């Protein structure tokens, strides 16, 4: 005969296994995020397609591109369990949680949870190219 306490313990174990590593690990804090990203250019994908790239500089500065030749400078800061980015063309913070899963970053957009999940991609045969400012009419 199985006791109710044994069912509860077994159910809790199964739920922990189903939740996977992303829910088991807390989001990266500012120090962890900075140590992982500083000095790197990371390419991000969504559903197997290139999404964009970000170059992480000293002093929490970044350069973002959707891989279209246009780049945006910005900065990031920590707020609660989130890493928030503010870019030169948009004063509204874009906040994400970052987790390490299977040796790479996974970023979840917090401004509209469930909408965007990006993962650090190894290679999409893309380059982060920043073209100069547009000149002319």
């Amino acid at each position: 005969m199985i006791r109710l306490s044994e069912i509860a313990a077994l159910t809790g174990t199964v739920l922990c296994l189903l939740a996977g590593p992303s829910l088991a690990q807390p989001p990266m804090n500012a120090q962890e995020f900075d140590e992982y990203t500083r000095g790197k250019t990371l390419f991000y994908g969504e559903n197997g397609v290139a999404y964009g790239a970000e170059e992480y500089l000293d002093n929490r500065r970044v350069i973002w591109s959707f891989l279209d030749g246009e780049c945006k400078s910005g900065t990031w800061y920590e707020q609660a369990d989130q890493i928030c980015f503010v870019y030169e063309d948009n004063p509204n913070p874009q906040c994400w949680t970052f987790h390490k899963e299977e040796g790479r970053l996974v970023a979840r957009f917090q401004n509209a949870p469930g909408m965007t999940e990006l993962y650090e991609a190894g290679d999409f045969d893309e380059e982060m190219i920043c073209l100069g400012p547009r000149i002319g009419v």
Side-chain angles (χ1 to χ4, degrees), residues 93-129:
Q94 307 295 306
C95 297
W96 302 76
T97 55
F98 287 86
H99 303 263
K100 279 190 74 175
E101 294 180 14
E102 299 177 16
R104 64 182 184 178
L105 282 185
V106 174
R108 293 183 180 93
F109 191 52
Q110 297 301 304
N111 293 54
M115 296 300 293
T116 304
E117 180 174 290
L118 304 178
Y119 55 87
E120 178 184 350
D123 184 10
F124 278 117
D125 292 327
E126 297 278 352
E127 283 186 55
M128 183 175 168
I129 298 172

Side-chain angles (χ1 to χ4, degrees), residues 48-96:
V49 178
Y51 184 87
E54 191 145 50
E55 183 177 359
Y56 298 90
L57 308 167
D58 290 333
N59 301 317
R60 298 183 175 185
R61 294 177 301 117
V62 294
I63 300 172
W64 170 260
S65 174
F66 283 106
L67 303 174
D68 58 2
E70 293 186 34
C71 295
K72 302 173 184 185
S73 296
T75 59
W76 66 268
Y77 62 92
E78 181 178 27
Q79 177 177 297
D81 288 336
Q82 302 174 9
I83 304 297
C84 299
F85 298 83
V86 177
Y87 296 96
E88 61 189 344
D89 66 336
N90 185 358
N92 299 319
Q94 307 295 306
C95 297
W96 302 76

